[in-house]
Amino acid sequence: MLLIRCPYCEEERPELEFRNAGEAHIARPTNIAAESEDDFEKFFFIRSNPKGVIYERWRHIHGCARFFNAVRDTVTDKFVMTYKAGEPRPAKLPGASK
Amino acid sequence: MNASFRISGAGRLSQAKTASFSFDGKSYLGIEGDTLASALLANGVHLVGRSFKYHRPRGFLSAGAEEPNALVQIVRDDARKTPNVRATVQELYDGLTANSQNRWPSLAFDVGAVNDIASPMFSAGFYYKTFMWPKSAWLNFYEPKIRATAGLGVSPDRPDPDHYAARYAHCDVLVLGGGAAGIAAALAAAETGVRVILADEQAEFGGSLRFESGARIDGEDGFAWAQAAIAKLKAMDNVRVLSRTTAFGYYAQNFVGLVERVSDHLKSPGRELARERLWQVRAKRVVLATGAIERHMVFANNDRPGVMLASAARTYLNHYGVAVGRNVGVYTANDSAYAAAIDLRKAGVNVAAIVDLRDNPSGAVIDEARSLGIEINFGRAVVSAGGKLRVSSMTVQPKNGGGERRIAVDAILMSAGWTPSVHLFSQSRGKVAFNEEARRFVPGTYAQDCVSVGACNGTDGLEATVDEAYAAGAQAARDAGGKDSSGKMGKGAKPKVDASESWSRGMLGAAPGAGPGTTVKAFVDFQNDVTAKDIRQAVHEGMHSIEHVKRFTTNGMATDQGKTSNMHGLAIAAETLGKPIPQVGLTTFRAPYTPVTFGSIVGHARGALFDPTRRTATHGWAAAQGAVFEDVGQWKRAWYFPKAGEDMHAAVNRECVTVRKAAGLFDASTLGKIEVVGPDAAKFMELLYTNPWEKLEPGRCRYGIMLREDGFIYDDGVVGRLAPDRFHVTTTTGGAPRVMHHMEDYLQTEFPHLNVWLTSITEQWAVIAVQGPSARKIIEPLVEGIDMSDEALPHMSVREGKICGVPTRLFRMSFTGERGFEVNVPADYGEAVWEALWTEGQKHGATAYGTETMHVLRAEKGYIIVGQDTDGTVTPNDAGLDWAVGKKKTDFVGIRGMMRADLVANGRKQLVGLKTKDPKVVLEEGAQIVEDPKQAIPMKMIGHVTSSYWSENCGRSIALALVAGGRDRMGQTLYVPMPNGTIEVEVTGMVFVDEKGERLNG
């Protein structure tokens, strides 16, 4: 069972308290009704599924209930870091070798 | 004592404490502290089982957890019949009853042994080849026969009466393995004051010190030192010592699963004792001190009872005081078996000969064996074991061929060398590395905060082991934040090794006589009956990856997980492939290390504690009325309320008619309820639902539809606006948590600028639906402060006031098509208000009704149930709900998705009503619909039935269905092919009762 650091509670809590909520940094278009079919497909259906570092959303659903962002390595399953919702994708990752 | 193989003066058990036990119905005497294995051996019993495939007679290979052969059924009572217990692990208690497995009619005469003679049929991969023809025989003949013979032991046929405990624990340093290495590491770590847990799978700590008679530490016998060290650790407040505790799984971030066997060793464990306890430990640092496992020699008939590992024979002698024979032979490729020969010889057992594959080894143990007068044969091999139910001889030959010599023996002690136990290290995702010189895999690259010490790290010799482990324990404590960071250990001192044993090397793979080209049964994997020949055959048949070889031969796939067999199997595969071992690679180690009971994993989560049961406030009332309940998620909901003599059909018919004639009371408390509050509440509702909300007057309600971003219906429910900044939202019963999650997701991440709070109020409000022409008359006398006239409280409105003196949110709404109300009261008052309404209702001929009647009544009106009439691919238009989508809105979740080309195309499945031509026929929900029943199979299916009921109010069956282009098919005849014939149906509108909706005010 993984330990995940909630950036709002500021502590590591067991995985059971959290729920994954898909890829992060995919903003809903402000004028979504006017999106083309292709753009809507990219926004809603296409996800990156990388081997290695992924930016994803998690929710501390059985804790503070906040959504936040996490950087995880899909190969080692290790969390590189977590940060609050709305914060930009970190420019530099701590201890990242890739 | 009649246990004739017990040697007085040998071993550590007190001969005074006897324990009687039975094996296959025969009674024996053992000693407290014995395992079932040592007690049987003390009585001269070697034959304890039959092998899985060939039913070959088998005895004890080992004295520990790696045992592949000696699996027995332990019977405590009718409900406690545990199969596949390793006799080498099961501790003896007075009255223990054990039975052998996989034999019929008896262990000594087993009919299944015909498989041994017919073994050419059962070669590697036989199950992929043998049972293929004729094809029809599989279902009727092969599979039933195989099922009858497969498996070992008999499953208990009653619920497990034992209970299983669970503990979470955190520590700084977790030490796994309690031999010399583990104890030294734990001592070093504990002395710094950090929290330490030390666990070992055996009843007593000491590991290989149990048999290493040559080990002396701090001036004591090694095993005695271990006991003293454990006593010292147990006395420390910062240390937890767990015996009989197996670390079975090493998971992410130093999360380790352990099972403690609490009471399997007790004669009559009290009810207060759990059978096992699951420990889930999170450690800052883990020290792996899991030791090494001796390998057997791979030669013909190496599975005969009496042929065993040399270290096992030493354990039985030095710890349990049992000689495994009177005239033993030794077959080895390394030094360690010499010590077994020496110990046994000193205990008075005749050692017929030592056969050593090596040409001219030298060393102290060899000299000592020679000085004891033991015959030693270098450069020779045991090419076969004689005997059947017990080994009777060994046939010796020069290893490069030559004259054979048969030596009479009653046991063969063998050692091909030692395999480091890297199981847990590998489970931690560490990468092993092959040490070419020592021919073994050892920990290479670490993936987690752990360290391996001693034999599992490939460290040879007791002194080197203790040095390494003590330093590693201290380092682990410092890394975990131990107080003593100077490196000086204040309180303790490193244990001093005065004398030790040491060995390494050995051989991997088949021994002479079982090499390429031979067809002898030289077993690599005892438990799955895999021979050296099978491995070679698998390679010849094209299995070039070790993972394929493993699966084709089943080598290492039995419950022992190949603890003794994996390295031999790998070496034979590598030799056959002509590749070096590291290039062929090791199969993946997976949890569990040894079998784990389901009970320990499940713990208390079974029966009533498996999943929470949610009951509404009126549950007790409904149960007293004789209601039948149905499970809806975790909820228990009243399904129908049968009167005396009524079946479900009669009860539902009566309830349905009564609601439309008079009135009915229904508990709707399970509906999800969310309060949306804040200055931007209406804006938020506009974005989350298809409907317009800004202009909805406070005090009015609206039926809302929620979509996912892809445009499909996600949930629905009636929403009441209590105030400009306050909405009382209802959701489907099953949808409440996900709707809340969905709302929170958008509020927190997409619309965080909106000033809104969301609160789940599902359990705060009990909801009593009162529906029917008399509904108002029933409620009115109990209400204060609410004008209930049609003018003041029209359909789809909500008022706050009091009922029976308690606060209420009174909704005028209907899921039946009748004049209807939903009375929300704080849940604590739910039952009292229900009873008051029931008393009033009795005056007007009202009935209580359950979920089945609720379903029929809503279907009569064509009201959909999300999740039944929709399936995640239905748009509002498909469901005929276009009217609920705000046409002027520029944004809501799903607005773009539902405009996708495919979602607005012609021919989509649309919700319609169906009437069977024969009104008495009720369609099956899920039944498929076709246009032409005479077309060839497979027919083109154009839709399916989503809801179907008998409607007593209509005097006929009614149904809803999703049908391609459904709304353009009104009046068409379609067909529902069923196994008993095709049913003709007519496509109709969705409303079967009161199409104009007049009854809402009736």
PDB file of all heavy atoms in Angstrom, chain A residues 1-3 28 35 37 45 57 59 65-67 76 78, chain B residues 253 282 429 447 709 741 745 748 750 891-892 896 900:
ATOM      1  N   MET A   1       0.841  -1.194   0.000  1.00  0.00           N
ATOM      2  CA  MET A   1       0.000   0.000   0.000  1.00  0.00           C
ATOM      3  C   MET A   1       0.879   1.249   0.000  1.00  0.00           C
ATOM      4  O   MET A   1       1.782   1.382   0.808  1.00  0.00           O
ATOM      5  CB  MET A   1      -0.900  -0.005   1.231  1.00  0.00           C
ATOM      6  CG  MET A   1      -1.860   1.148   1.241  1.00  0.00           C
ATOM      7  SD  MET A   1      -3.219   0.932   2.381  1.00  0.00           S
ATOM      8  CE  MET A   1      -2.407   0.301   3.829  1.00  0.00           C
ATOM      9  N   LEU A   2       0.575   2.144  -0.922  1.00  0.00           N
ATOM     10  CA  LEU A   2       1.391   3.347  -1.050  1.00  0.00           C
ATOM     11  C   LEU A   2       1.063   4.347   0.052  1.00  0.00           C
ATOM     12  O   LEU A   2      -0.020   4.342   0.609  1.00  0.00           O
ATOM     13  CB  LEU A   2       1.115   4.008  -2.406  1.00  0.00           C
ATOM     14  CG  LEU A   2       1.441   3.191  -3.648  1.00  0.00           C
ATOM     15  CD1 LEU A   2       0.892   3.880  -4.877  1.00  0.00           C
ATOM     16  CD2 LEU A   2       2.938   3.006  -3.763  1.00  0.00           C
ATOM     17  N   LEU A   3       2.033   5.183   0.329  1.00  0.00           N
ATOM     18  CA  LEU A   3       1.802   6.350   1.173  1.00  0.00           C
ATOM     19  C   LEU A   3       1.779   7.558   0.246  1.00  0.00           C
ATOM     20  O   LEU A   3       2.655   7.724  -0.588  1.00  0.00           O
ATOM     21  CB  LEU A   3       2.929   6.523   2.197  1.00  0.00           C
ATOM     22  CG  LEU A   3       2.958   5.537   3.364  1.00  0.00           C
ATOM     23  CD1 LEU A   3       4.188   5.815   4.214  1.00  0.00           C
ATOM     24  CD2 LEU A   3       1.705   5.664   4.201  1.00  0.00           C
ATOM     25  N   ARG A  28     -10.612  22.434 -18.821  1.00  0.00           N
ATOM     26  CA  ARG A  28     -11.865  22.444 -19.572  1.00  0.00           C
ATOM     27  C   ARG A  28     -11.935  23.762 -20.343  1.00  0.00           C
ATOM     28  O   ARG A  28     -11.775  24.844 -19.758  1.00  0.00           O
ATOM     29  CB  ARG A  28     -13.021  22.331 -18.597  1.00  0.00           C
ATOM     30  CG  ARG A  28     -14.386  22.174 -19.231  1.00  0.00           C
ATOM     31  CD  ARG A  28     -15.429  21.940 -18.151  1.00  0.00           C
ATOM     32  NE  ARG A  28     -16.736  21.698 -18.729  1.00  0.00           N
ATOM     33  CZ  ARG A  28     -17.631  22.635 -19.019  1.00  0.00           C
ATOM     34  NH1 ARG A  28     -17.331  23.917 -18.799  1.00  0.00           N
ATOM     35  NH2 ARG A  28     -18.805  22.320 -19.531  1.00  0.00           N
ATOM     36  N   GLU A  35     -16.149  24.270 -29.238  1.00  0.00           N
ATOM     37  CA  GLU A  35     -14.990  23.450 -29.610  1.00  0.00           C
ATOM     38  C   GLU A  35     -15.283  22.620 -30.864  1.00  0.00           C
ATOM     39  O   GLU A  35     -16.415  22.136 -31.050  1.00  0.00           O
ATOM     40  CB  GLU A  35     -14.651  22.484 -28.470  1.00  0.00           C
ATOM     41  CG  GLU A  35     -14.098  23.155 -27.233  1.00  0.00           C
ATOM     42  CD  GLU A  35     -12.660  23.590 -27.403  1.00  0.00           C
ATOM     43  OE1 GLU A  35     -11.788  22.712 -27.522  1.00  0.00           O
ATOM     44  OE2 GLU A  35     -12.412  24.817 -27.427  1.00  0.00           O
ATOM     45  N   GLU A  37     -14.880  19.227 -33.277  1.00  0.00           N
ATOM     46  CA  GLU A  37     -14.914  17.809 -32.927  1.00  0.00           C
ATOM     47  C   GLU A  37     -13.516  17.323 -32.539  1.00  0.00           C
ATOM     48  O   GLU A  37     -13.335  16.603 -31.571  1.00  0.00           O
ATOM     49  CB  GLU A  37     -15.436  16.967 -34.103  1.00  0.00           C
ATOM     50  CG  GLU A  37     -16.896  17.200 -34.451  1.00  0.00           C
ATOM     51  CD  GLU A  37     -17.866  16.366 -33.609  1.00  0.00           C
ATOM     52  OE1 GLU A  37     -18.143  15.215 -33.953  1.00  0.00           O
ATOM     53  OE2 GLU A  37     -18.342  16.922 -32.604  1.00  0.00           O
ATOM     54  N   PHE A  45     -11.060  12.717 -24.696  1.00  0.00           N
ATOM     55  CA  PHE A  45     -10.765  11.293 -24.853  1.00  0.00           C
ATOM     56  C   PHE A  45      -9.281  10.940 -24.830  1.00  0.00           C
ATOM     57  O   PHE A  45      -8.920   9.836 -24.452  1.00  0.00           O
ATOM     58  CB  PHE A  45     -11.362  10.774 -26.164  1.00  0.00           C
ATOM     59  CG  PHE A  45     -12.859  10.758 -26.174  1.00  0.00           C
ATOM     60  CD1 PHE A  45     -13.576  11.725 -26.853  1.00  0.00           C
ATOM     61  CD2 PHE A  45     -13.555   9.783 -25.496  1.00  0.00           C
ATOM     62  CE1 PHE A  45     -14.970  11.718 -26.862  1.00  0.00           C
ATOM     63  CE2 PHE A  45     -14.939   9.752 -25.487  1.00  0.00           C
ATOM     64  CZ  PHE A  45     -15.652  10.719 -26.172  1.00  0.00           C
ATOM     65  N   ARG A  57      -4.249  13.630 -11.262  1.00  0.00           N
ATOM     66  CA  ARG A  57      -5.045  14.200 -10.188  1.00  0.00           C
ATOM     67  C   ARG A  57      -5.407  13.108  -9.196  1.00  0.00           C
ATOM     68  O   ARG A  57      -5.695  11.976  -9.558  1.00  0.00           O
ATOM     69  CB  ARG A  57      -6.336  14.816 -10.749  1.00  0.00           C
ATOM     70  CG  ARG A  57      -6.067  15.818 -11.856  1.00  0.00           C
ATOM     71  CD  ARG A  57      -7.328  16.528 -12.322  1.00  0.00           C
ATOM     72  NE  ARG A  57      -8.472  15.645 -12.446  1.00  0.00           N
ATOM     73  CZ  ARG A  57      -9.673  15.913 -11.937  1.00  0.00           C
ATOM     74  NH1 ARG A  57      -9.879  17.042 -11.285  1.00  0.00           N
ATOM     75  NH2 ARG A  57     -10.677  15.083 -12.090  1.00  0.00           N
ATOM     76  N   ARG A  59      -7.587  12.559  -5.276  1.00  0.00           N
ATOM     77  CA  ARG A  59      -8.466  13.207  -4.307  1.00  0.00           C
ATOM     78  C   ARG A  59      -8.298  12.516  -2.954  1.00  0.00           C
ATOM     79  O   ARG A  59      -8.307  11.283  -2.879  1.00  0.00           O
ATOM     80  CB  ARG A  59      -9.930  13.112  -4.754  1.00  0.00           C
ATOM     81  CG  ARG A  59     -10.838  13.903  -3.846  1.00  0.00           C
ATOM     82  CD  ARG A  59     -12.310  13.770  -4.220  1.00  0.00           C
ATOM     83  NE  ARG A  59     -13.102  14.614  -3.328  1.00  0.00           N
ATOM     84  CZ  ARG A  59     -14.390  14.438  -3.083  1.00  0.00           C
ATOM     85  NH1 ARG A  59     -15.054  13.477  -3.695  1.00  0.00           N
ATOM     86  NH2 ARG A  59     -15.022  15.226  -2.244  1.00  0.00           N
ATOM     87  N   ALA A  65     -10.865  15.578   1.559  1.00  0.00           N
ATOM     88  CA  ALA A  65     -11.750  15.591   0.386  1.00  0.00           C
ATOM     89  C   ALA A  65     -11.269  16.523  -0.727  1.00  0.00           C
ATOM     90  O   ALA A  65     -11.994  16.757  -1.688  1.00  0.00           O
ATOM     91  CB  ALA A  65     -13.193  15.910   0.763  1.00  0.00           C
ATOM     92  N   ARG A  66     -10.053  17.044  -0.603  1.00  0.00           N
ATOM     93  CA  ARG A  66      -9.556  17.964  -1.642  1.00  0.00           C
ATOM     94  C   ARG A  66      -8.941  17.206  -2.816  1.00  0.00           C
ATOM     95  O   ARG A  66      -8.322  16.162  -2.653  1.00  0.00           O
ATOM     96  CB  ARG A  66      -8.476  18.891  -1.053  1.00  0.00           C
ATOM     97  CG  ARG A  66      -8.934  19.765   0.092  1.00  0.00           C
ATOM     98  CD  ARG A  66      -9.983  20.780  -0.313  1.00  0.00           C
ATOM     99  NE  ARG A  66      -9.474  21.800  -1.242  1.00  0.00           N
ATOM    100  CZ  ARG A  66      -9.013  22.981  -0.852  1.00  0.00           C
ATOM    101  NH1 ARG A  66      -8.979  23.303   0.427  1.00  0.00           N
ATOM    102  NH2 ARG A  66      -8.582  23.844  -1.732  1.00  0.00           N
ATOM    103  N   PHE A  67      -9.121  17.777  -4.001  1.00  0.00           N
ATOM    104  CA  PHE A  67      -8.403  17.294  -5.184  1.00  0.00           C
ATOM    105  C   PHE A  67      -7.028  17.953  -5.202  1.00  0.00           C
ATOM    106  O   PHE A  67      -6.890  19.123  -4.818  1.00  0.00           O
ATOM    107  CB  PHE A  67      -9.149  17.678  -6.458  1.00  0.00           C
ATOM    108  CG  PHE A  67     -10.360  16.830  -6.736  1.00  0.00           C
ATOM    109  CD1 PHE A  67     -11.577  17.104  -6.116  1.00  0.00           C
ATOM    110  CD2 PHE A  67     -10.279  15.758  -7.616  1.00  0.00           C
ATOM    111  CE1 PHE A  67     -12.697  16.320  -6.371  1.00  0.00           C
ATOM    112  CE2 PHE A  67     -11.395  14.973  -7.875  1.00  0.00           C
ATOM    113  CZ  PHE A  67     -12.606  15.252  -7.251  1.00  0.00           C
ATOM    114  N   THR A  76       8.087   2.707 -11.559  1.00  0.00           N
ATOM    115  CA  THR A  76       8.403   2.303 -10.182  1.00  0.00           C
ATOM    116  C   THR A  76       7.200   2.455  -9.265  1.00  0.00           C
ATOM    117  O   THR A  76       7.221   1.987  -8.131  1.00  0.00           O
ATOM    118  CB  THR A  76       9.530   3.183  -9.615  1.00  0.00           C
ATOM    119  OG1 THR A  76       9.054   4.534  -9.565  1.00  0.00           O
ATOM    120  CG2 THR A  76      10.766   3.120 -10.484  1.00  0.00           C
ATOM    121  N   LYS A  78       6.416   5.062  -7.875  1.00  0.00           N
ATOM    122  CA  LYS A  78       6.785   5.990  -6.807  1.00  0.00           C
ATOM    123  C   LYS A  78       6.199   7.371  -7.062  1.00  0.00           C
ATOM    124  O   LYS A  78       6.205   7.852  -8.190  1.00  0.00           O
ATOM    125  CB  LYS A  78       8.303   6.103  -6.698  1.00  0.00           C
ATOM    126  CG  LYS A  78       8.896   4.955  -5.904  1.00  0.00           C
ATOM    127  CD  LYS A  78      10.382   5.146  -5.675  1.00  0.00           C
ATOM    128  CE  LYS A  78      10.922   3.975  -4.868  1.00  0.00           C
ATOM    129  NZ  LYS A  78      12.332   3.756  -5.061  1.00  0.00           N
TER     130      LYS A  78
ATOM    131  N   GLN B 253       6.973   0.969  -0.551  1.00  0.00           N
ATOM    132  CA  GLN B 253       7.314   1.882   0.547  1.00  0.00           C
ATOM    133  C   GLN B 253       7.443   1.154   1.889  1.00  0.00           C
ATOM    134  O   GLN B 253       6.876   1.565   2.898  1.00  0.00           O
ATOM    135  CB  GLN B 253       6.283   3.023   0.631  1.00  0.00           C
ATOM    136  CG  GLN B 253       6.441   4.014  -0.512  1.00  0.00           C
ATOM    137  CD  GLN B 253       5.283   4.980  -0.584  1.00  0.00           C
ATOM    138  OE1 GLN B 253       4.155   4.585  -0.878  1.00  0.00           O
ATOM    139  NE2 GLN B 253       5.551   6.247  -0.327  1.00  0.00           N
ATOM    140  N   ARG B 282       4.558  -0.929   8.581  1.00  0.00           N
ATOM    141  CA  ARG B 282       5.246   0.093   7.789  1.00  0.00           C
ATOM    142  C   ARG B 282       6.537   0.417   8.524  1.00  0.00           C
ATOM    143  O   ARG B 282       6.496   0.859   9.677  1.00  0.00           O
ATOM    144  CB  ARG B 282       4.358   1.327   7.662  1.00  0.00           C
ATOM    145  CG  ARG B 282       4.945   2.424   6.827  1.00  0.00           C
ATOM    146  CD  ARG B 282       4.748   2.213   5.342  1.00  0.00           C
ATOM    147  NE  ARG B 282       3.346   2.310   4.965  1.00  0.00           N
ATOM    148  CZ  ARG B 282       2.923   2.260   3.701  1.00  0.00           C
ATOM    149  NH1 ARG B 282       3.791   2.119   2.716  1.00  0.00           N
ATOM    150  NH2 ARG B 282       1.642   2.345   3.419  1.00  0.00           N
ATOM    151  N   ARG B 429      11.136  -5.434  -5.224  1.00  0.00           N
ATOM    152  CA  ARG B 429      11.519  -4.954  -6.559  1.00  0.00           C
ATOM    153  C   ARG B 429      13.019  -4.758  -6.707  1.00  0.00           C
ATOM    154  O   ARG B 429      13.483  -4.118  -7.649  1.00  0.00           O
ATOM    155  CB  ARG B 429      10.783  -3.672  -6.935  1.00  0.00           C
ATOM    156  CG  ARG B 429       9.298  -3.897  -7.127  1.00  0.00           C
ATOM    157  CD  ARG B 429       8.647  -2.634  -7.634  1.00  0.00           C
ATOM    158  NE  ARG B 429       7.364  -2.901  -8.255  1.00  0.00           N
ATOM    159  CZ  ARG B 429       6.669  -1.992  -8.929  1.00  0.00           C
ATOM    160  NH1 ARG B 429       7.128  -0.783  -9.090  1.00  0.00           N
ATOM    161  NH2 ARG B 429       5.508  -2.284  -9.458  1.00  0.00           N
ATOM    162  N   ALA B 447      15.728  -1.445  -4.440  1.00  0.00           N
ATOM    163  CA  ALA B 447      14.680  -0.518  -4.871  1.00  0.00           C
ATOM    164  C   ALA B 447      14.029   0.182  -3.687  1.00  0.00           C
ATOM    165  O   ALA B 447      13.325   1.168  -3.858  1.00  0.00           O
ATOM    166  CB  ALA B 447      13.623  -1.266  -5.671  1.00  0.00           C
ATOM    167  N   GLU B 709     -19.334  14.881 -19.156  1.00  0.00           N
ATOM    168  CA  GLU B 709     -18.849  15.787 -20.194  1.00  0.00           C
ATOM    169  C   GLU B 709     -19.064  15.187 -21.584  1.00  0.00           C
ATOM    170  O   GLU B 709     -19.127  15.911 -22.575  1.00  0.00           O
ATOM    171  CB  GLU B 709     -17.354  16.074 -19.948  1.00  0.00           C
ATOM    172  CG  GLU B 709     -16.835  17.345 -20.571  1.00  0.00           C
ATOM    173  CD  GLU B 709     -17.339  18.623 -19.880  1.00  0.00           C
ATOM    174  OE1 GLU B 709     -16.723  19.058 -18.898  1.00  0.00           O
ATOM    175  OE2 GLU B 709     -18.350  19.168 -20.344  1.00  0.00           O
ATOM    176  N   HIS B 741     -19.016  13.318  -5.708  1.00  0.00           N
ATOM    177  CA  HIS B 741     -17.627  13.347  -6.197  1.00  0.00           C
ATOM    178  C   HIS B 741     -17.527  14.199  -7.464  1.00  0.00           C
ATOM    179  O   HIS B 741     -16.632  15.031  -7.606  1.00  0.00           O
ATOM    180  CB  HIS B 741     -17.195  11.901  -6.463  1.00  0.00           C
ATOM    181  CG  HIS B 741     -15.773  11.742  -6.909  1.00  0.00           C
ATOM    182  ND1 HIS B 741     -14.705  11.986  -6.077  1.00  0.00           N
ATOM    183  CD2 HIS B 741     -15.254  11.352  -8.097  1.00  0.00           C
ATOM    184  CE1 HIS B 741     -13.581  11.746  -6.744  1.00  0.00           C
ATOM    185  NE2 HIS B 741     -13.890  11.372  -7.967  1.00  0.00           N
ATOM    186  N   ASP B 745     -15.528  17.631  -7.805  1.00  0.00           N
ATOM    187  CA  ASP B 745     -14.465  17.703  -8.808  1.00  0.00           C
ATOM    188  C   ASP B 745     -14.583  19.010  -9.597  1.00  0.00           C
ATOM    189  O   ASP B 745     -13.629  19.783  -9.688  1.00  0.00           O
ATOM    190  CB  ASP B 745     -14.586  16.480  -9.743  1.00  0.00           C
ATOM    191  CG  ASP B 745     -13.379  16.321 -10.648  1.00  0.00           C
ATOM    192  OD1 ASP B 745     -12.535  17.239 -10.682  1.00  0.00           O
ATOM    193  OD2 ASP B 745     -13.287  15.284 -11.324  1.00  0.00           O
ATOM    194  N   GLN B 748     -14.051  22.165  -7.269  1.00  0.00           N
ATOM    195  CA  GLN B 748     -12.678  22.405  -6.806  1.00  0.00           C
ATOM    196  C   GLN B 748     -11.705  22.684  -7.938  1.00  0.00           C
ATOM    197  O   GLN B 748     -10.750  23.433  -7.760  1.00  0.00           O
ATOM    198  CB  GLN B 748     -12.161  21.178  -6.034  1.00  0.00           C
ATOM    199  CG  GLN B 748     -12.812  20.977  -4.678  1.00  0.00           C
ATOM    200  CD  GLN B 748     -12.191  19.808  -3.942  1.00  0.00           C
ATOM    201  OE1 GLN B 748     -10.995  19.547  -4.044  1.00  0.00           O
ATOM    202  NE2 GLN B 748     -13.003  19.093  -3.184  1.00  0.00           N
ATOM    203  N   GLU B 750     -12.515  22.960 -11.745  1.00  0.00           N
ATOM    204  CA  GLU B 750     -12.869  23.685 -12.966  1.00  0.00           C
ATOM    205  C   GLU B 750     -13.548  25.016 -12.661  1.00  0.00           C
ATOM    206  O   GLU B 750     -13.378  25.982 -13.392  1.00  0.00           O
ATOM    207  CB  GLU B 750     -13.785  22.835 -13.856  1.00  0.00           C
ATOM    208  CG  GLU B 750     -13.124  21.555 -14.383  1.00  0.00           C
ATOM    209  CD  GLU B 750     -11.984  21.814 -15.371  1.00  0.00           C
ATOM    210  OE1 GLU B 750     -11.786  22.971 -15.796  1.00  0.00           O
ATOM    211  OE2 GLU B 750     -11.274  20.850 -15.712  1.00  0.00           O
ATOM    212  N   ASP B 891     -23.451  27.086 -21.539  1.00  0.00           N
ATOM    213  CA  ASP B 891     -22.485  26.155 -20.947  1.00  0.00           C
ATOM    214  C   ASP B 891     -23.153  25.302 -19.866  1.00  0.00           C
ATOM    215  O   ASP B 891     -23.965  25.796 -19.086  1.00  0.00           O
ATOM    216  CB  ASP B 891     -21.302  26.918 -20.326  1.00  0.00           C
ATOM    217  CG  ASP B 891     -20.097  25.999 -20.071  1.00  0.00           C
ATOM    218  OD1 ASP B 891     -20.166  24.813 -20.469  1.00  0.00           O
ATOM    219  OD2 ASP B 891     -19.106  26.479 -19.484  1.00  0.00           O
ATOM    220  N   PHE B 892     -22.880  24.057 -19.903  1.00  0.00           N
ATOM    221  CA  PHE B 892     -23.111  23.132 -18.792  1.00  0.00           C
ATOM    222  C   PHE B 892     -22.304  21.877 -19.097  1.00  0.00           C
ATOM    223  O   PHE B 892     -21.899  21.671 -20.257  1.00  0.00           O
ATOM    224  CB  PHE B 892     -24.603  22.820 -18.584  1.00  0.00           C
ATOM    225  CG  PHE B 892     -25.312  22.235 -19.777  1.00  0.00           C
ATOM    226  CD1 PHE B 892     -25.227  20.870 -20.077  1.00  0.00           C
ATOM    227  CD2 PHE B 892     -26.078  23.063 -20.606  1.00  0.00           C
ATOM    228  CE1 PHE B 892     -25.895  20.352 -21.172  1.00  0.00           C
ATOM    229  CE2 PHE B 892     -26.739  22.525 -21.706  1.00  0.00           C
ATOM    230  CZ  PHE B 892     -26.651  21.178 -21.993  1.00  0.00           C
ATOM    231  N   ARG B 896     -21.127  20.190 -24.923  1.00  0.00           N
ATOM    232  CA  ARG B 896     -20.420  19.905 -26.164  1.00  0.00           C
ATOM    233  C   ARG B 896     -20.522  18.424 -26.510  1.00  0.00           C
ATOM    234  O   ARG B 896     -20.729  18.042 -27.656  1.00  0.00           O
ATOM    235  CB  ARG B 896     -18.938  20.320 -26.044  1.00  0.00           C
ATOM    236  CG  ARG B 896     -18.118  20.039 -27.294  1.00  0.00           C
ATOM    237  CD  ARG B 896     -18.650  20.845 -28.486  1.00  0.00           C
ATOM    238  NE  ARG B 896     -17.992  20.497 -29.739  1.00  0.00           N
ATOM    239  CZ  ARG B 896     -18.367  19.493 -30.515  1.00  0.00           C
ATOM    240  NH1 ARG B 896     -19.379  18.714 -30.177  1.00  0.00           N
ATOM    241  NH2 ARG B 896     -17.737  19.262 -31.655  1.00  0.00           N
ATOM    242  N   ARG B 900     -22.041  15.931 -30.215  1.00  0.00           N
ATOM    243  CA  ARG B 900     -21.149  15.167 -31.097  1.00  0.00           C
ATOM    244  C   ARG B 900     -21.950  14.515 -32.217  1.00  0.00           C
ATOM    245  O   ARG B 900     -23.113  14.121 -32.020  1.00  0.00           O
ATOM    246  CB  ARG B 900     -20.408  14.100 -30.306  1.00  0.00           C
ATOM    247  CG  ARG B 900     -19.305  14.679 -29.418  1.00  0.00           C
ATOM    248  CD  ARG B 900     -18.542  13.580 -28.726  1.00  0.00           C
ATOM    249  NE  ARG B 900     -19.326  12.973 -27.663  1.00  0.00           N
ATOM    250  CZ  ARG B 900     -19.210  11.693 -27.306  1.00  0.00           C
ATOM    251  NH1 ARG B 900     -18.370  10.912 -27.956  1.00  0.00           N
ATOM    252  NH2 ARG B 900     -19.935  11.210 -26.329  1.00  0.00           N
TER     253      ARG B 900
END
